[in-house]
Amino acid sequence: METNSETVKKENPILKIAVWFKNASKPIKIVCAVVGAVIVIDLICCIVLAGRKSSPTVFMESLPDGNLSGFVSLDSGAINGGIKQNGFADFGFSEVQKKIIEKIYEANGSCALVVKLEADSEKYLTKNPESKSFILRFGFLKDEDFLKKGRLKKNNRTTDNRIAVSADLTKLNGAFAVSMALPKGASENIPEGFFIYSDAPCKILGAYVCAAEIGFDKSRDMPFFGFSSNGGLIDSSFSSVDFSSASETFAVQNTVDSSMPEIIVKMIDNEEYKSTIEGNVFVKLNAGGEQLSIKNVKNANSLVIPSSALKTPFVLFDIAENKEIVQAILMRNPVEEKEPLFKANATEVFVPIKTDPGLILKYPKTNWRVADYEIFEWDRFPGILFFDTRNYDIQDNFFRRMAFFVEKQGYKGRILSNAELQGKHGYNAHDYSPESMANFFNEADRKGVKLNKEEETLRKILLQNGLLLNEDGKMKAGKGGLVSISQESADYLRVQLLAHEGWHTLFFLDEAFRNYVTAVYYNLEPNTQAFLIDYFKSQPSLGYDTNDEYLMKNEFMAYVMQQRLGAVADYFVAHAKWGSVQKYTKSLADYIIQTEARGFVDAAIMMNDFVFDSYGIECGDINLVRR
């Protein structure tokens, strides 16, 4: 059967359109040509945009292998790396990036996305003088933000109640970095991506993931603002930090397996704002009704405040005085600098909590990780450990045998058996050098003495923190020093003991300080030095070996420097009046009373000048933080 060609022409719609266009007027043909060109251009743009999704301009930086990884671009703002006025840039995480986020979270206990942005606020305000403010918003994209086909839902991220970090860009100009932490447990529910919105043009410089930090830091290449997964508002005045949502990111209690976060405070390195021997300069922070005073000294531009030392750490921190001195306030998980050698358990912890000594005395016992003791490390001097024990019995279990071996006259160099230790007391506070402790453990091992549980725990703590080194089963001295005080001591005594023992550890650690103390000791007025030796002999409970010159120089320094400069004379005059001292060495004791302990005061002034210049601390006060 033959087909009629005329019938085919009538039934074919394309031919019908061709015939219509051929017979149409010239104006109609022009309109049709323009419309067709627009359609073709749109198709080309779609093809180009689709192709450019695989050629991103914004990358995840600092990957473990050193390579860059481009984010998935979900719109033109993401592709161009810049946000137009009232525009969005939406990015997706690749599967590789999700794996990296998961690894960082597992390694650090937290993870945050940091985005680097640049806004020319001054230029925008010049062009738009009627603008009072313009807002930037940054947040995560989740499963519910996407359609089934993987396309982003329109307008889903513009709702007012969406969790995000916000900023008024009229108060920010130039480059800055903003960070938002993933919530706890995020390794099992990683976001699909992130978005950035801006009322004004804004450039995206890059992004990276790292351990979470909450707070601000204006000492970096560009100002940094960090937030929890609950977002927040950037305070461009750098006058406060809101930690009220930090519990969504960090642990809220200390356990043997996890520690509460630490707070890093950085101060400006400018002589104009530093304390001097004539007067101190303090930064004052209000934290939930508790005020912290931080001494700003030239030798310490940053310090560590354990959040577990505070009454209410997850609150707004307001800088009440000298905010221009503060460069950063950042909350983060403690950084473990040494690989764990031993696993913590219900009765033993081995890694110390870093802190300034000023926060140890009132550290809440409810935040101890184990019941019998807590260990701290001086944040400014790695290897200097502070023990706080529940009572004298616990402290004796740790240190009594060592006290007799290291210092007690008539016992030095001997490892006493448990039977010999019965009924004996060590000291109410202790201090030991790595050399003394290495000798103690080596002698105990050589003699085959079975040490108690606390002493073996102590050995592990010292090995974990580098005060002891294990060389083929033999203990070798590392660096640092150890202090121990007890909760059983009265509060006023704990203050004095902490200072006294703290000075000992600096004597152990710093050769320059030892040499200076030695010079002062040998130049001490002869009657003053003779009185000190006789005073030690007159107090049998001390049990010092007065023939040990190293010990005598160390104790001389600590007894002089354990109280403030103005109290040195009263301290030694009062002790010279004791009946036991008068009975043992009356003429020398009377000499100290008559001269108002001038020799000790002169020595105190010289040593006080040295430690202030070297460490920024003073007689009677080894702390930089007060509350």
Side-chain angles (χ1 to χ4, degrees):
M1 180 176 167
E2 295 184 3
T3 304
N4 188 304
S5 62
E6 198 65 34
T7 302
V8 171
K9 284 182 181 181
K10 289 180 180 180
E11 292 177 354
N12 190 322
I14 295 176
L15 289 176
K16 282 185 177 182
I17 293 171
V19 170
W20 174 82
F21 185 78
K22 182 179 179 181
N23 295 327
S25 63
K26 187 175 180 179
I28 292 177
K29 287 181 178 180
I30 292 172
V31 171
C32 291
V34 171
V35 172
V38 170
I39 293 171
V40 170
I41 291 171
D42 281 350
L43 288 172
I44 292 172
C45 287
C46 288
I47 292 170
V48 170
L49 287 175
R52 288 180 68 182
K53 281 188 178 181
S54 60
S55 302
T57 56
V58 180
F59 295 85
M60 180 187 284
E61 305 168 7
S62 305
L63 298 186
D65 57 7
N67 294 322
L68 298 178
S69 172
F71 294 106
V72 178
S73 302
L74 300 175
D75 55 23
S76 59
I79 292 170
N80 296 326
I83 305 170
K84 296 180 180 179
Q85 187 171 334
N86 301 320
F88 279 92
D90 297 287
F91 300 90
F93 294 133
S94 68
E95 291 304 313
V96 170
Q97 290 167 346
K98 288 182 180 180
K99 291 290 184 184
I100 292 168
I101 291 171
E102 185 178 349
K103 287 181 180 179
I104 289 176
Y105 187 95
E106 290 175 351
N108 299 281
S110 70
C111 184
L113 173 68
V114 183
V115 178
K116 298 183 292 184
L117 302 164
E118 185 174 36
D120 193 344
S121 305
E122 292 180 357
K123 181 178 179 181
Y124 179 78
L125 288 173
T126 300
K127 290 183 177 181
N128 302 272
E130 73 286 352
S131 296
K132 301 297 182 184
S133 66
F134 50 95
I135 300 301
L136 176 135
R137 288 170 64 78
F138 157 55
F140 289 120
L141 296 173
K142 302 178 181 179
D143 284 337
E144 56 264 31
D145 295 312
F146 292 85
L147 300 169
K148 289 183 178 180
K149 295 182 179 181
R151 292 199 302 268
L152 192 65
K153 293 179 183 178
K154 291 184 178 180
N155 301 321
N156 194 50
R157 62 229 188 283
T158 60
T159 55
D160 292 336
N161 62 352
R162 187 178 189 95
I163 294 174
V165 175
S166 299
D168 182 351
L169 289 182
T170 59
K171 298 178 181 178
L172 290 168
N173 189 59
F176 62 96
V178 58
S179 168
M180 191 167 175
L182 277 66
K184 288 179 183 176
S187 59
E188 300 174 359
N189 188 22
I190 295 171
E192 294 298 313
F194 63 98
F195 73 89
I196 302 168
Y197 166 83
S198 179
D199 286 345
C202 187
K203 187 176 181 181
I204 305 164
L205 303 177
Y208 60 94
V209 288
C210 60
E213 294 178 306
I214 299 175
F216 71 80
D217 187 349
K218 56 182 178 178
S219 69
R220 303 184 186 184
D221 293 340
M222 59 181 71
F224 170 89
F225 304 92
F227 295 86
S228 74
S229 57
N230 276 12
L233 179 65
I234 288 178
D235 178 4
S236 56
S237 70
F238 302 102
S239 59
S240 64
V241 177
D242 190 357
F243 292 136
S244 58
S245 297
S247 57
E248 298 296 321
T249 304
F250 303 118
V252 297
Q253 62 181 9
N254 281 342
T255 68
V256 296
D257 297 317
S258 65
S259 293
M260 294 173 66
E262 60 187 18
I263 299 166
I264 310 299
V265 180
K266 299 180 185 177
M267 269 82 70
I268 192 169
D269 188 15
N270 186 325
E271 289 288 330
E272 180 183 351
Y273 297 104
K274 299 295 184 179
S275 296
T276 65
I277 198 73
E278 291 80 24
N280 289 316
V281 177
F282 290 95
V283 170
K284 294 189 177 179
L285 300 179
N286 291 326
E290 186 174 21
Q291 186 172 86
L292 303 177
S293 294
I294 302 171
K295 187 191 297 186
N296 187 29
V297 299
K298 65 180 181 180
N299 317 80
N301 292 327
S302 67
L303 56 88
V304 180
I305 300 173
S307 64
S308 53
L310 305 179
K311 294 177 181 177
T312 51
F314 301 122
V315 292
L316 178 72
F317 277 52
D318 177 66
I319 306 175
E321 287 186 21
N322 289 325
K323 77 171 186 177
E324 67 277 4
I325 294 176
V326 180
Q327 289 289 87
I329 302 177
L330 294 168
M331 181 177 282
R332 69 183 188 188
N333 273 330
V335 178
E336 292 190 11
E337 297 169 352
K338 300 180 180 73
E339 286 293 320
L341 302 177
F342 311 98
K343 184 173 175 55
N345 55 62
T347 60
E348 297 175 300
V349 289
F350 309 103
V351 176
I353 295 170
K354 288 187 179 181
T355 186
D356 180 86
L359 296 170
I360 293 175
L361 294 173
K362 294 183 180 180
Y363 187 94
K365 192 169 177 292
T366 53
N367 285 338
W368 283 15
R369 293 168 293 175
V370 293
D372 285 343
Y373 69 94
E374 185 57 274
I375 46 174
F376 305 92
E377 183 177 37
W378 201 337
D379 61 334
R380 299 176 59 200
F381 302 103
I384 292 185
L385 302 184
F386 295 91
F387 276 66
D388 200 355
T389 60
R390 181 162 55 88
N391 53 41
Y392 289 144
D393 287 342
I394 298 296
Q395 185 172 238
D396 272 347
N397 288 344
F398 273 106
F399 302 110
R400 176 174 50 177
R401 200 189 318 259
M402 187 179 294
F404 281 86
F405 174 84
V406 173
E407 291 184 354
K408 294 281 190 178
Q409 193 164 19
Y411 298 94
K412 278 185 64 174
R414 284 183 54 201
I415 301 289
L416 301 186
S417 67
N418 290 336
E420 291 174 305
L421 284 173
Q422 285 297 319
K424 290 182 173 64
H425 177 60
Y427 297 110
N428 291 347
H430 296 257
D431 66 271
Y432 300 105
S433 68
E435 290 77 11
S436 295
M437 294 185 288
N439 291 338
F440 169 78
F441 284 108
N442 286 332
E443 182 65 11
D445 291 342
R446 190 180 74 82
K447 291 284 189 179
V449 175
K450 182 174 175 56
L451 300 177
N452 64 35
K453 178 181 179 298
E454 286 82 2
E455 289 166 327
E456 291 295 354
T457 297
L458 174 62
R459 190 200 308 243
K460 293 177 183 177
I461 292 170
L462 299 174
L463 287 168
Q464 173 63 57
N465 294 285
L467 280 78
L468 293 184
L469 306 173
N470 188 340
E471 292 191 355
D472 299 323
K474 188 174 182 180
M475 298 297 102
K476 182 180 177 183
K479 292 184 178 181
L482 181 146
V483 166
S484 177
I485 58 175
S486 172
Q487 293 273 315
E488 194 169 333
S489 296
D491 287 346
Y492 80 92
L493 190 56
R494 279 168 58 83
V495 171
Q496 189 177 78
L497 290 173
L498 187 69
H500 179 105
E501 308 299 348
W503 289 121
H504 282 315
T505 62
L506 289 175
F507 187 87
F508 297 144
L509 185 69
D510 188 350
E511 183 180 6
F513 184 40
R514 286 198 302 276
N515 291 339
Y516 191 83
V517 169
T518 298
V520 174
Y521 181 76
Y522 286 138
N523 284 283
L524 195 61
E525 192 273 324
N527 284 340
T528 300
Q529 187 183 102
F531 167 78
L532 182 70
I533 302 299
D534 276 2
Y535 165 72
F536 289 149
K537 290 178 179 178
S538 72
Q539 306 302 307
S541 61
L542 293 176
Y544 292 144
D545 181 358
T546 56
N547 295 314
D548 185 336
E549 285 202 354
Y550 181 94
L551 177 64
M552 289 299 96
K553 289 181 287 189
N554 197 356
E555 293 299 340
F556 150 71
M557 176 275 302
Y559 274 88
V560 170
M561 300 188 72
Q562 69 185 7
Q563 56 274 310
R564 293 190 177 276
L565 202 58
V568 172
D570 289 344
Y571 177 85
F572 284 100
V573 168
H575 282 65
K577 292 178 179 179
W578 282 7
S580 57
V581 178
Q582 283 282 322
K583 182 178 180 180
Y584 190 89
T585 182
K586 179 173 176 52
S587 61
L588 289 174
D590 288 344
Y591 175 81
I592 295 299
I593 296 168
Q594 291 162 8
T595 61
E596 295 183 329
R598 189 67 231 176
F600 288 116
V601 173
D602 290 343
I605 292 171
M606 288 188 287
M607 291 189 290
N608 192 67
D609 287 345
F610 180 90
V611 297
F612 188 85
D613 288 341
S614 300
Y615 318 124
I617 50 182
E618 304 171 76
C619 284
D621 188 6
I622 63 173
N623 313 322
L624 293 186
V625 182
R626 301 175 183 175
R627 59 177 174 181

